[in-house]
Amino acid sequence: DLLAVIEQGAQLVSSDEEDELRRRWFGTPLDLTTYGRYLGGALALLLPLGALLVFWNLTLRRKVAARTASLKKTLDELQEANLVANALKDDLAATLQAIPDLLFELDADGRYIDVYTNQDDKLADSRQRLLGRKVSEVLPDDAARTVQAAIDGAIEQGSDYGRQIALPTRDSVNWFELSATRKFKDGKHHALILSRDVTQRKQDEQALQQAR
């Protein structure tokens, strides 16, 4: 009986009312044609963009790989150059240790820039106290003028040889023969002076003169 009442009531609902009820309960049916057009347009836009991104990514990877290879090559070359430089530095240090001479680097004003020696007792002062000071502040006046003349000659002519200086000690006088050469450093001219102890030779010469 209840079913008959429901069916009788359902027959009283018009088609328009039924459509309205269906719309309220189930919502508006999807228009797949419209959504298909939207989806197709989006895909048409996204596919070229995706292809462009993929191409850009591959290009960046190639550039990064090339740059990485270049940097690795540069680092390898720098490492090799550093090894060569260290080897040359060690050779130079060994050579300087082997020779009995004193080697000084001075600027154009006669200021000590560096000192190389394995005989500190022959220096006019300690290496630390020499650096940054001028020869006129360290050596006797005659010796300082001779050293400055050697510096000037080396900077002007490229080299200067044969000058001698005398440095008094407690018991006697030590004689040194200077050989200077020009060096260009940091945009300025410096002088490298090799100072050789010729005291024994000087004493022999004096003894020979006295004997004659």
Side-chain angles (χ1 to χ4, degrees):
D1 294 339
L2 178 59
L3 178 59
V5 173
I6 292 175
E7 290 178 347
Q8 183 180 2
Q11 292 176 359
L12 298 176
V13 178
S14 65
S15 59
D16 293 337
E17 290 174 337
E18 185 177 355
D19 292 340
E20 181 64 18
L21 288 173
R22 288 181 179 278
R23 186 188 66 78
R24 290 185 179 184
W25 279 101
F26 300 109
T28 304
L30 292 176
D31 187 351
L32 296 180
T33 303
T34 303
Y35 282 100
R37 287 198 300 269
Y38 291 155
L39 183 59
L43 289 176
L45 179 64
L46 290 176
L47 285 177
L49 181 60
L52 180 61
L53 289 175
V54 170
F55 175 76
W56 185 40
N57 187 28
L58 293 175
T59 303
L60 285 179
R61 286 188 178 183
R62 284 195 295 268
K63 288 183 177 180
V64 169
R67 184 60 175 166
T68 302
S70 176
L71 287 175
K72 186 178 183 302
K73 181 181 178 182
T74 302
L75 288 175
D76 291 341
E77 292 175 351
L78 286 175
Q79 272 189 333
E80 184 177 356
N82 187 46
L83 291 175
V84 172
N86 287 334
L88 291 175
K89 183 179 179 181
D90 293 340
D91 289 344
L92 177 60
T95 301
L96 293 175
Q97 287 293 324
I99 63 175
D101 301 332
L102 311 177
L103 181 62
F104 304 93
E105 181 177 347
L106 303 102
D107 65 11
D109 297 325
R111 182 176 287 102
Y112 288 95
I113 304 299
D114 212 340
V115 178
Y116 309 90
T117 181
N118 61 349
Q119 302 183 66
D120 294 342
D121 58 315
K122 291 187 177 182
L123 296 175
D125 205 338
S126 66
R127 182 180 183 277
Q128 290 74 17
R129 290 176 57 83
L130 286 177
L131 297 179
R133 298 169 68 189
K134 294 183 178 180
V135 291
S136 58
E137 301 171 340
V138 177
L139 303 179
D141 292 341
D142 289 343
R145 283 193 292 269
T146 301
V147 172
Q148 187 62 54
I151 294 172
D152 296 339
I155 291 177
E156 292 174 4
Q157 304 172 16
S159 60
D160 187 274
Y161 302 103
R163 300 181 191 269
Q164 293 184 355
I165 61 173
L167 298 180
T169 63
R170 291 181 180 179
D171 303 325
S172 62
V173 176
N174 285 338
W175 287 86
F176 295 90
E177 187 173 83
L178 308 179
S179 301
T181 186
R182 182 173 56 201
K183 177 182 179 181
F184 192 70
K185 181 178 181 180
D186 299 331
K188 298 180 181 179
H189 283 109
H190 289 184
L192 288 175
I193 296 184
L194 190 68
S195 178
R196 172 163 295 179
D197 188 346
V198 293
T199 303
Q200 186 62 49
R201 189 181 76 188
K202 198 73 174 179
Q203 292 174 348
D204 293 342
E205 291 175 356
Q206 292 174 350
L208 181 59
Q209 287 180 354
Q210 291 176 0
R212 286 176 178 174

